[in-house]
Coordinates of all heavy atoms in Angstrom, one line a residue:
E1 N 0.8 -1.2 0.0 CA 0.0 0.0 0.0 C 0.9 1.2 0.0 O 1.9 1.3 0.7 CB -0.9 0.0 1.2 CG -2.1 0.8 1.0 CD -3.0 0.8 2.3 OE1 -2.6 0.3 3.3 OE2 -4.2 1.3 2.2
R2 N 0.5 2.2 -0.8 CA 1.3 3.5 -0.8 C 1.0 4.3 0.4 O -0.1 4.3 0.9 CB 1.0 4.2 -2.1 CG 1.3 3.5 -3.4 CD 0.9 4.3 -4.6 NE -0.4 4.9 -4.4 CZ -0.8 6.1 -4.9 NH1 0.1 6.8 -5.5 NH2 -2.0 6.5 -4.7
I3 N 2.0 5.2 0.7 CA 1.8 6.1 1.9 C 0.7 7.0 1.6 O -0.1 7.4 2.5 CB 3.2 6.8 2.2 CG1 3.0 7.7 3.4 CG2 3.6 7.7 1.0 CD1 2.9 6.9 4.7
E4 N 0.5 7.4 0.4 CA -0.6 8.3 0.0 C -1.9 7.7 0.4 O -2.8 8.4 0.9 CB -0.6 8.7 -1.4 CG 0.5 9.7 -1.9 CD 1.9 8.9 -2.1 OE1 1.9 7.7 -2.1 OE2 2.9 9.6 -2.2
D5 N -2.0 6.4 0.2 CA -3.3 5.7 0.5 C -3.5 5.7 2.0 O -4.6 5.9 2.5 CB -3.3 4.3 -0.1 CG -3.2 4.3 -1.6 OD1 -3.7 5.3 -2.2 OD2 -2.7 3.4 -2.2
K6 N -2.4 5.5 2.7 CA -2.6 5.5 4.2 C -2.9 6.9 4.7 O -3.8 7.0 5.6 CB -1.2 5.0 4.8 CG -1.0 3.6 4.5 CD 0.1 3.0 5.4 CE 0.1 1.5 5.1 NZ 1.1 0.8 5.8
L7 N -2.3 7.9 4.1 CA -2.6 9.2 4.6 C -4.0 9.6 4.3 O -4.7 10.3 5.1 CB -1.6 10.3 3.9 CG -0.2 10.4 4.5 CD1 0.6 11.2 3.6 CD2 -0.3 10.9 5.9
Y8 N -4.5 9.1 3.2 CA -5.9 9.4 2.8 C -6.9 8.8 3.8 O -7.9 9.4 4.0 CB -6.2 8.8 1.4 CG -7.5 9.2 0.9 CD1 -7.8 10.5 0.5 CD2 -8.6 8.3 0.9 CE1 -9.0 10.9 0.1 CE2 -9.8 8.7 0.4 CZ -10.0 10.0 0.0 OH -11.3 10.3 -0.4
Q9 N -6.4 7.8 4.5 CA -7.3 7.2 5.5 C -7.4 8.0 6.8 O -8.3 7.8 7.6 CB -6.8 5.8 5.9 CG -6.9 4.8 4.8 CD -6.3 3.5 5.1 OE1 -5.8 3.3 6.3 NE2 -6.2 2.6 4.2
N10 N -6.5 8.9 7.0 CA -6.5 9.8 8.2 C -7.7 10.7 8.1 O -8.2 11.1 7.1 CB -5.3 10.6 8.3 CG -4.0 9.8 8.6 OD1 -4.1 8.7 9.2 ND2 -2.9 10.2 8.0
R11 N -8.2 11.0 9.3 CA -9.4 11.9 9.3 C -9.0 13.1 10.2 O -8.2 12.9 11.1 CB -10.6 11.1 9.9 CG -11.1 10.0 9.1 CD -11.8 10.6 7.8 NE -12.2 9.5 6.9 CZ -11.5 9.1 5.9 NH1 -10.3 9.6 5.7 NH2 -12.0 8.1 5.1
Y12 N -9.6 14.2 9.9 CA -9.3 15.4 10.7 C -10.6 15.9 11.3 O -11.6 16.1 10.6 CB -8.7 16.5 9.8 CG -8.2 17.6 10.6 CD1 -6.9 17.6 11.0 CD2 -9.0 18.7 10.9 CE1 -6.4 18.6 11.8 CE2 -8.5 19.7 11.7 CZ -7.2 19.7 12.2 OH -6.8 20.7 13.0
L13 N -10.6 16.1 12.6 CA -11.8 16.6 13.2 C -11.6 18.0 13.6 O -10.7 18.4 14.4 CB -12.1 15.7 14.5 CG -13.5 15.8 15.1 CD1 -14.5 15.4 14.0 CD2 -13.6 14.8 16.2
V14 N -12.4 18.9 13.0 CA -12.2 20.4 13.3 C -12.9 20.7 14.6 O -13.9 20.3 15.0 CB -12.9 21.2 12.1 CG1 -12.9 22.7 12.4 CG2 -12.2 20.9 10.8
D15 N -12.1 21.6 15.4 CA -12.7 22.1 16.6 C -13.1 23.5 16.3 O -12.3 24.4 16.3 CB -11.5 22.1 17.7 CG -12.0 22.3 19.1 OD1 -13.2 22.5 19.3 OD2 -11.1 22.3 20.0
P16 N -14.4 23.7 16.1 CA -14.9 25.0 15.5 C -14.6 26.1 16.4 O -14.8 26.1 17.6 CB -16.4 24.8 15.4 CG -16.6 23.3 15.5 CD -15.5 22.7 16.3
G17 N -14.0 27.2 15.9 CA -13.8 28.4 16.6 C -12.6 28.3 17.5 O -12.3 29.3 18.2
R18 N -11.9 27.2 17.5 CA -10.7 27.0 18.4 C -9.5 26.5 17.6 O -9.1 25.4 17.8 CB -11.0 26.1 19.6 CG -12.1 26.7 20.5 CD -12.3 25.9 21.7 NE -11.1 25.8 22.5 CZ -11.1 25.4 23.8 NH1 -12.2 25.2 24.4 NH2 -10.0 25.3 24.4
P19 N -9.0 27.3 16.7 CA -7.9 26.9 15.9 C -6.7 26.6 16.8 O -6.4 27.4 17.8 CB -7.6 28.0 15.0 CG -8.2 29.2 15.6 CD -9.4 28.7 16.4
H20 N -5.9 25.5 16.6 CA -4.8 25.2 17.5 C -3.6 25.9 17.1 O -2.6 25.9 17.9 CB -4.6 23.7 17.6 CG -4.2 23.0 16.4 ND1 -5.0 22.9 15.3 CD2 -3.0 22.5 16.1 CE1 -4.3 22.2 14.4 NE2 -3.1 22.0 14.8
I21 N -3.5 26.5 16.0 CA -2.4 27.3 15.6 C -2.9 28.7 15.1 O -3.9 28.8 14.4 CB -1.6 26.7 14.4 CG1 -1.2 25.2 14.8 CG2 -0.4 27.5 14.0 CD1 -0.6 24.5 13.7
K22 N -2.2 29.7 15.5 CA -2.6 31.1 15.1 C -1.4 31.8 14.6 O -0.3 31.6 15.1 CB -3.2 31.9 16.3 CG -4.5 31.3 16.8 CD -5.0 32.1 18.0 CE -6.2 31.4 18.6 NZ -6.4 31.9 20.0
V23 N -1.6 32.6 13.6 CA -0.5 33.5 13.1 C -0.7 34.9 13.7 O -1.8 35.4 13.7 CB -0.6 33.6 11.5 CG1 0.4 34.6 11.0 CG2 -0.4 32.3 10.9
R24 N 0.4 35.4 14.3 CA 0.4 36.7 14.9 C 0.2 37.7 13.8 O 0.8 37.7 12.7 CB 1.6 37.0 15.7 CG 1.5 38.2 16.6 CD 2.7 38.3 17.5 NE 3.9 38.7 16.7 CZ 5.1 38.8 17.3 NH1 5.3 38.7 18.5 NH2 6.1 39.2 16.5
P25 N -0.7 38.7 14.1 CA -0.9 39.8 13.1 C 0.4 40.4 12.7 O 1.2 40.7 13.5 CB -1.9 40.8 13.8 CG -2.6 39.9 14.8 CD -1.6 38.9 15.3
H26 N 0.5 40.7 11.4 CA 1.8 41.3 10.9 C 1.5 42.2 9.7 O 0.5 41.9 9.0 CB 2.8 40.2 10.6 CG 2.3 39.2 9.7 ND1 1.5 38.1 10.1 CD2 2.4 39.0 8.4 CE1 1.2 37.4 9.1 NE2 1.7 37.9 8.0
Q27 N 2.4 43.1 9.5 CA 2.3 43.9 8.3 C 2.8 43.1 7.0 O 2.0 43.0 6.1 CB 3.1 45.2 8.4 CG 2.6 46.2 9.4 CD 1.3 46.7 9.0 OE1 1.0 46.9 7.9 NE2 0.4 47.0 10.0
S28 N 4.0 42.6 7.1 CA 4.5 41.8 6.1 C 5.2 40.6 6.8 O 5.8 40.8 7.8 CB 5.4 42.6 5.2 OG 6.5 43.1 5.9
P29 N 5.2 39.5 6.2 CA 5.8 38.3 6.8 C 7.3 38.2 6.8 O 7.9 38.7 5.9 CB 5.2 37.1 6.0 CG 4.9 37.7 4.7 CD 4.5 39.1 4.9
S30 N 7.8 37.8 7.9 CA 9.3 37.5 8.0 C 9.6 36.3 7.0 O 8.6 35.6 6.7 CB 9.6 37.1 9.4 OG 9.1 35.8 9.7
P31 N 10.8 36.2 6.6 CA 11.2 35.0 5.7 C 10.7 33.7 6.3 O 10.2 32.9 5.5 CB 12.7 35.1 5.6 CG 13.0 36.6 5.9 CD 12.0 37.0 6.9
N32 N 10.9 33.4 7.6 CA 10.5 32.2 8.1 C 8.9 31.9 8.0 O 8.5 30.9 7.7 CB 10.9 32.0 9.6 CG 12.3 31.5 9.7 OD1 13.0 31.5 8.8 ND2 12.6 31.1 10.9
L33 N 8.2 33.0 8.3 CA 6.8 32.9 8.2 C 6.3 32.7 6.8 O 5.5 31.8 6.5 CB 6.1 34.2 8.8 CG 4.6 34.2 9.0 CD1 4.2 33.0 9.9 CD2 4.2 35.5 9.6
L34 N 7.0 33.4 5.9 CA 6.7 33.2 4.5 C 7.0 31.8 4.0 O 6.2 31.2 3.2 CB 7.5 34.2 3.7 CG 7.1 34.4 2.2 CD1 5.6 34.9 2.1 CD2 8.0 35.4 1.5
A35 N 8.0 31.2 4.5 CA 8.4 29.9 4.1 C 7.3 28.9 4.4 O 7.2 27.8 3.7 CB 9.7 29.5 4.8
L36 N 6.5 29.1 5.4 CA 5.5 28.2 5.8 C 4.5 28.0 4.7 O 3.9 26.9 4.6 CB 4.7 28.6 7.1 CG 5.6 28.8 8.3 CD1 4.7 29.1 9.5 CD2 6.4 27.5 8.6
T37 N 4.3 29.0 3.8 CA 3.4 28.8 2.7 C 3.9 27.7 1.7 O 3.2 27.3 0.8 CB 3.2 30.1 1.9 OG1 4.4 30.6 1.4 CG2 2.6 31.2 2.9
R38 N 5.2 27.4 1.8 CA 5.8 26.4 0.9 C 6.0 25.1 1.6 O 6.0 24.0 1.0 CB 7.1 26.9 0.3 CG 6.9 28.1 -0.5 CD 8.2 28.5 -1.3 NE 9.3 28.7 -0.3 CZ 9.6 29.9 0.2 NH1 8.9 30.9 -0.1 NH2 10.6 30.0 1.0
V39 N 6.4 25.1 2.9 CA 6.9 23.9 3.5 C 5.8 23.1 4.3 O 6.0 21.9 4.6 CB 8.1 24.1 4.5 CG1 9.2 24.8 3.7 CG2 7.7 25.0 5.6
C40 N 4.7 23.7 4.6 CA 3.7 22.9 5.4 C 3.2 21.8 4.5 O 2.6 22.0 3.4 CB 2.5 23.8 5.8 SG 1.1 22.9 6.4
P41 N 3.3 20.5 5.0 CA 2.9 19.4 4.2 C 1.4 19.3 4.0 O 0.9 18.6 3.0 CB 3.4 18.2 4.9 CG 3.5 18.6 6.3 CD 3.9 20.1 6.3
A42 N 0.6 20.0 4.8 CA -0.8 20.0 4.7 C -1.4 21.3 4.0 O -2.6 21.5 3.9 CB -1.5 19.8 6.0
N43 N -0.4 22.1 3.5 CA -0.8 23.4 2.8 C -1.8 24.2 3.7 O -2.8 24.7 3.2 CB -1.4 23.1 1.5 CG -0.4 22.6 0.5 OD1 0.7 23.1 0.5 ND2 -0.8 21.6 -0.3
C44 N -1.5 24.3 5.0 CA -2.4 25.1 5.8 C -2.1 26.6 5.7 O -3.0 27.4 6.0 CB -2.1 24.7 7.3 SG -2.7 23.0 7.6
Y45 N -0.9 27.0 5.3 CA -0.6 28.4 5.2 C -0.7 29.0 3.8 O -0.3 28.3 2.9 CB 0.9 28.6 5.7 CG 1.1 28.3 7.2 CD1 1.4 27.1 7.6 CD2 1.0 29.4 8.1 CE1 1.5 26.8 9.0 CE2 1.1 29.1 9.4 CZ 1.4 27.9 9.9 OH 1.6 27.6 11.2
E46 N -1.3 30.2 3.7 CA -1.3 30.8 2.4 C -1.2 32.3 2.6 O -1.4 32.9 3.6 CB -2.6 30.4 1.7 CG -3.8 30.8 2.4 CD -5.1 30.3 1.6 OE1 -4.9 29.5 0.7 OE2 -6.2 30.6 2.1
L47 N -0.8 32.9 1.5 CA -0.6 34.4 1.5 C -2.0 35.0 1.0 O -2.6 34.5 0.1 CB 0.4 34.7 0.4 CG 1.4 35.9 0.6 CD1 2.0 35.9 2.0 CD2 2.4 35.9 -0.5
N48 N -2.5 35.9 1.8 CA -3.7 36.6 1.4 C -3.5 37.7 0.4 O -2.3 38.0 0.1 CB -4.6 37.0 2.6 CG -3.9 38.2 3.4 OD1 -3.0 38.9 2.9 ND2 -4.3 38.3 4.6
E49 N -4.6 38.4 0.0 CA -4.4 39.4 -1.0 C -3.6 40.6 -0.5 O -3.0 41.3 -1.3 CB -5.8 39.9 -1.4 CG -6.7 38.9 -2.1 CD -8.1 39.2 -2.1 OE1 -8.5 40.2 -1.5 OE2 -8.9 38.5 -2.7
S50 N -3.6 40.8 0.8 CA -2.8 41.9 1.3 C -1.3 41.6 1.6 O -0.6 42.4 2.2 CB -3.4 42.4 2.6 OG -4.8 42.5 2.5
G51 N -1.0 40.3 1.3 CA 0.4 39.9 1.4 C 0.8 39.4 2.8 O 2.0 39.4 3.2
Q52 N -0.2 39.1 3.6 CA 0.0 38.5 4.9 C -0.2 37.0 4.9 O -1.0 36.5 4.1 CB -0.9 39.2 6.0 CG -0.5 40.6 6.3 CD -1.6 41.6 6.2 OE1 -2.7 41.2 6.1 NE2 -1.2 42.8 6.2
V53 N 0.5 36.3 5.8 CA 0.3 34.9 5.9 C -0.9 34.5 6.8 O -1.0 35.1 7.9 CB 1.6 34.2 6.4 CG1 1.4 32.7 6.6 CG2 2.8 34.5 5.4
E54 N -1.7 33.7 6.3 CA -2.9 33.2 7.0 C -2.8 31.7 7.2 O -2.2 31.0 6.3 CB -4.2 33.6 6.3 CG -4.5 35.0 6.3 CD -5.8 35.4 5.7 OE1 -6.5 34.4 5.1 OE2 -6.2 36.5 5.7
I55 N -3.4 31.2 8.2 CA -3.5 29.8 8.4 C -4.9 29.3 8.5 O -5.7 29.9 9.2 CB -2.7 29.3 9.7 CG1 -2.7 27.8 9.8 CG2 -3.2 30.0 10.9 CD1 -1.8 27.2 10.8
T56 N -5.1 28.2 7.9 CA -6.4 27.4 8.1 C -5.9 26.0 8.6 O -5.4 25.2 7.8 CB -7.2 27.3 6.8 OG1 -7.4 28.5 6.3 CG2 -8.5 26.6 7.1
P57 N -5.9 25.8 9.9 CA -5.2 24.6 10.4 C -6.0 23.3 10.2 O -5.5 22.3 10.6 CB -5.1 24.9 11.9 CG -6.2 25.9 12.2 CD -6.4 26.7 11.0
D58 N -7.1 23.3 9.5 CA -7.8 22.1 9.2 C -6.8 21.2 8.4 O -6.2 21.6 7.4 CB -9.0 22.3 8.4 CG -10.0 23.3 9.0 OD1 -9.7 23.7 10.2 OD2 -11.0 23.6 8.4
G59 N -6.7 20.0 8.8 CA -5.8 19.0 8.0 C -4.4 19.0 8.5 O -3.6 18.3 8.0
C60 N -4.1 19.9 9.5 CA -2.7 19.9 10.1 C -2.4 18.5 10.6 O -3.1 17.9 11.3 CB -2.7 20.9 11.2 SG -1.2 20.8 12.3
M61 N -1.2 18.1 10.2 CA -0.7 16.7 10.6 C 0.1 16.8 11.9 O 0.7 15.8 12.3 CB 0.1 16.1 9.5 CG -0.6 16.0 8.2 SD 0.6 15.5 6.9 CE -0.4 15.9 5.5
E62 N 0.2 18.0 12.5 CA 1.0 18.1 13.7 C 2.5 17.7 13.5 O 3.1 17.1 14.3 CB 0.4 17.4 14.9 CG -1.0 17.9 15.2 CD -1.8 17.1 16.2 OE1 -1.1 16.3 17.0 OE2 -3.0 17.1 16.2
C63 N 3.0 18.0 12.3 CA 4.4 17.6 12.0 C 5.4 18.4 12.7 O 6.5 18.0 12.9 CB 4.6 17.7 10.5 SG 4.8 19.4 9.9
G64 N 5.0 19.6 13.1 CA 5.9 20.5 13.9 C 6.8 21.4 13.1 O 7.5 22.2 13.7
T65 N 6.7 21.3 11.8 CA 7.6 22.2 11.0 C 7.4 23.6 11.3 O 8.4 24.4 11.5 CB 7.4 21.9 9.5 OG1 7.6 20.5 9.3 CG2 8.3 22.8 8.7
C66 N 6.2 24.1 11.3 CA 5.9 25.5 11.5 C 6.3 25.9 12.9 O 6.7 27.0 13.2 CB 4.5 25.9 11.2 SG 3.2 25.0 12.2
R67 N 6.1 25.0 13.8 CA 6.4 25.2 15.2 C 7.9 25.5 15.4 O 8.4 26.5 16.0 CB 6.0 24.0 16.1 CG 6.3 24.3 17.5 CD 5.7 23.1 18.3 NE 5.5 23.5 19.7 CZ 5.0 22.8 20.7 NH1 4.8 21.5 20.4 NH2 4.9 23.3 21.9
V68 N 8.7 24.7 14.7 CA 10.2 24.8 14.8 C 10.6 26.1 14.2 O 11.5 26.8 14.7 CB 10.9 23.6 14.1 CG1 12.4 23.9 13.9 CG2 10.7 22.3 14.9
L69 N 10.0 26.5 13.0 CA 10.4 27.7 12.3 C 10.0 29.0 12.9 O 10.6 30.0 12.8 CB 9.9 27.6 10.8 CG 10.7 26.7 9.9 CD1 10.0 26.6 8.5 CD2 12.1 27.1 9.7
C70 N 8.8 29.0 13.5 CA 8.2 30.2 13.9 C 7.6 30.4 15.3 O 7.2 31.5 15.6 CB 7.1 30.5 12.9 SG 7.6 30.9 11.2
E71 N 7.7 29.4 16.1 CA 7.1 29.6 17.4 C 7.9 30.4 18.4 O 7.4 31.4 19.0 CB 6.7 28.2 18.1 CG 5.9 28.4 19.3 CD 5.7 27.1 20.1 OE1 6.7 26.4 20.2 OE2 4.6 26.9 20.7
A72 N 9.2 30.1 18.4 CA 10.1 30.8 19.4 C 10.1 32.3 19.1 O 10.2 33.1 20.0 CB 11.5 30.2 19.3
S73 N 10.1 32.6 17.8 CA 10.2 34.0 17.5 C 8.8 34.7 17.6 O 8.7 35.9 17.5 CB 10.6 34.2 16.0 OG 10.0 33.3 15.2
G74 N 7.8 34.0 18.0 CA 6.5 34.6 18.2 C 5.7 34.9 17.0 O 4.6 35.5 17.1
Y75 N 6.1 34.4 15.9 CA 5.3 34.6 14.6 C 4.0 33.8 14.6 O 3.0 34.3 14.0 CB 6.1 34.3 13.4 CG 7.4 35.0 13.2 CD1 8.6 34.4 12.8 CD2 7.4 36.4 13.4 CE1 9.7 35.1 12.7 CE2 8.6 37.1 13.3 CZ 9.7 36.5 12.9 OH 10.9 37.2 12.8
I76 N 4.1 32.7 15.3 CA 2.8 31.9 15.4 C 2.7 31.4 16.9 O 3.6 31.4 17.6 CB 2.8 30.7 14.5 CG1 3.9 29.7 14.9 CG2 3.0 31.1 13.0 CD1 3.7 28.3 14.2
E77 N 1.5 31.1 17.2 CA 1.1 30.5 18.5 C 0.8 29.0 18.2 O -0.1 28.8 17.3 CB -0.1 31.2 19.0 CG 0.0 31.7 20.4 CD -1.3 32.4 20.8 OE1 -2.2 31.6 21.2 OE2 -1.4 33.6 20.6
W78 N 1.4 28.1 18.8 CA 1.2 26.7 18.4 C 0.8 25.9 19.6 O 1.5 25.9 20.6 CB 2.5 26.1 17.8 CG 2.4 24.9 17.0 CD1 2.5 24.9 15.6 CD2 2.3 23.6 17.4 NE1 2.4 23.6 15.1 CE2 2.3 22.8 16.2 CE3 2.2 22.9 18.6 CZ2 2.2 21.4 16.2 CZ3 2.0 21.5 18.6 CH2 2.0 20.8 17.5
N79 N -0.3 25.2 19.5 CA -0.7 24.3 20.6 C -1.2 23.0 19.9 O -1.7 23.0 18.8 CB -1.9 24.9 21.4 CG -1.5 26.1 22.1 OD1 -0.8 26.0 23.1 ND2 -1.9 27.3 21.6
Y80 N -1.2 21.9 20.7 CA -1.8 20.7 20.2 C -3.3 20.9 20.2 O -3.8 21.7 21.1 CB -1.5 19.5 21.0 CG -0.1 19.0 20.7 CD1 1.0 19.2 21.6 CD2 0.2 18.2 19.6 CE1 2.3 18.7 21.3 CE2 1.4 17.8 19.3 CZ 2.5 18.0 20.1 OH 3.7 17.6 19.8
P81 N -4.1 20.3 19.3 CA -5.5 20.4 19.4 C -6.0 19.8 20.7 O -5.3 19.0 21.3 CB -6.0 19.6 18.2 CG -4.8 19.4 17.3 CD -3.6 19.5 18.2
R82 N -7.2 20.3 21.2 CA -7.8 19.7 22.3 C -8.0 18.2 22.1 O -8.1 17.7 21.0 CB -9.2 20.2 22.6 CG -9.2 21.6 23.2 CD -10.5 21.9 23.8 NE -11.6 22.0 22.7 CZ -12.9 22.0 23.0 NH1 -13.3 21.8 24.2 NH2 -13.7 22.1 22.0
G83 N -8.0 17.4 23.2 CA -8.2 16.0 23.1 C -9.4 15.6 22.2 O -10.4 16.2 22.4
G84 N -9.2 14.7 21.3 CA -10.3 14.2 20.5 C -10.4 15.0 19.2 O -11.2 14.6 18.3
F85 N -9.7 16.1 19.1 CA -9.8 16.9 17.9 C -8.4 16.8 17.1 O -7.5 16.3 17.6 CB -10.1 18.4 18.2 CG -11.5 18.6 18.7 CD1 -11.7 18.6 20.1 CD2 -12.5 18.7 17.8 CE1 -13.0 18.8 20.6 CE2 -13.8 18.9 18.3 CZ -14.0 18.9 19.7
G86 N -8.5 17.3 15.9 CA -7.3 17.4 15.1 C -7.1 16.1 14.3 O -8.1 15.4 14.0
I87 N -5.9 15.8 13.9 CA -5.6 14.7 13.0 C -5.8 13.4 13.8 O -5.4 13.2 15.0 CB -4.2 14.8 12.4 CG1 -4.0 13.7 11.4 CG2 -3.1 14.7 13.5 CD1 -4.5 14.1 10.0
L88 N -6.5 12.4 13.2 CA -6.7 11.1 13.8 C -5.9 10.1 12.9 O -6.4 9.8 11.8 CB -8.2 10.8 13.8 CG -9.1 11.9 14.4 CD1 -10.5 11.5 14.1 CD2 -8.8 12.1 15.9
F89 N -4.7 9.8 13.3 CA -3.9 8.9 12.5 C -4.4 7.5 12.5 O -4.7 6.9 13.6 CB -2.4 8.9 13.0 CG -1.7 10.2 12.7 CD1 -1.5 11.1 13.7 CD2 -1.4 10.5 11.4 CE1 -0.9 12.3 13.4 CE2 -0.7 11.7 11.1 CZ -0.5 12.6 12.1
K90 N -4.4 6.9 11.4 CA -4.8 5.5 11.3 C -3.7 4.8 10.6 O -3.3 5.1 9.5 CB -6.1 5.3 10.5 CG -7.3 5.4 11.3 CD -8.5 5.5 10.4 CE -8.7 4.2 9.5 NZ -9.9 4.3 8.8
F91 N -3.1 3.8 11.2 CA -2.0 3.0 10.6 C -2.5 1.6 10.3 O -3.3 1.0 11.0 CB -0.8 3.0 11.5 CG -0.2 4.3 11.7 CD1 -0.4 5.0 12.8 CD2 0.5 4.9 10.6 CE1 0.2 6.3 13.0 CE2 1.1 6.2 10.8 CZ 0.9 6.9 12.0
G92 N -2.0 1.1 9.2 CA -2.3 -0.3 8.9 C -3.6 -0.5 8.2 O -4.3 0.4 8.0
Ligands
SF4_1 FE1 1.5 22.4 8.6 FE2 3.0 20.8 10.2 FE3 2.5 23.3 11.0 FE4 0.5 21.5 10.9 S1 2.4 21.4 12.3 S2 0.4 23.6 10.2 S3 1.1 20.3 9.1 S4 3.7 22.7 9.2

């Protein structure tokens, strides 16, 4: 079985109104923040019309990439989803 098939079996449960990752308001994104629009494997980050980075954390795999790149500097706020929400990994 291909990894894509396995990933497809994962389910994501949205916690309405309680995103587990937030982008701090900014005028223009720092290079690290901008990089998230390319490196997030779930494509959660995108550039809006005003040139700011926005996140829609639905589908986040909790890989930690954005956390490593941007949490310490305060560009984003990163938390695990509440219990029972977020990515539900299924293996095998
Ligand atoms: Fe994307 Fe990974 Fe950050 Fe989730 S933890 S938003 S999958 S980079």
Side-chain angles (χ1 to χ4, degrees):
E1 203 178 13
R2 296 179 314 146
I3 183 71
E4 288 80 9
D5 295 331
K6 291 196 171 172
L7 280 172
Y8 186 71
Q9 293 172 3
N10 293 327
R11 294 288 175 268
Y12 190 91
L13 199 55
V14 175
D15 195 356
R18 296 187 59 161
H20 66 289
I21 305 173
K22 293 176 192 163
V23 174
R24 194 172 68 181
H26 53 278
Q27 291 294 327
S28 57
S30 68
N32 274 14
L33 191 55
L34 191 59
L36 299 185
T37 62
R38 297 189 303 271
V39 301
C40 169
N43 288 320
C44 291
Y45 290 89
E46 59 186 6
L47 214 48
N48 68 17
E49 292 163 356
S50 314
Q52 285 127 16
V53 173
E54 288 184 356
I55 181 169
T56 307
D58 303 358
C60 165
M61 301 170 196
E62 297 169 26
C63 73
T65 302
C66 62
R67 184 175 202 181
V68 168
L69 282 175
C70 290
E71 189 189 37
S73 45
Y75 299 136
I76 65 169
E77 235 180 83
W78 201 103
N79 294 285
Y80 283 105
R82 282 198 294 163
F85 292 94
I87 189 84
L88 313 170
F89 288 105
K90 274 171 58 176
F91 293 104

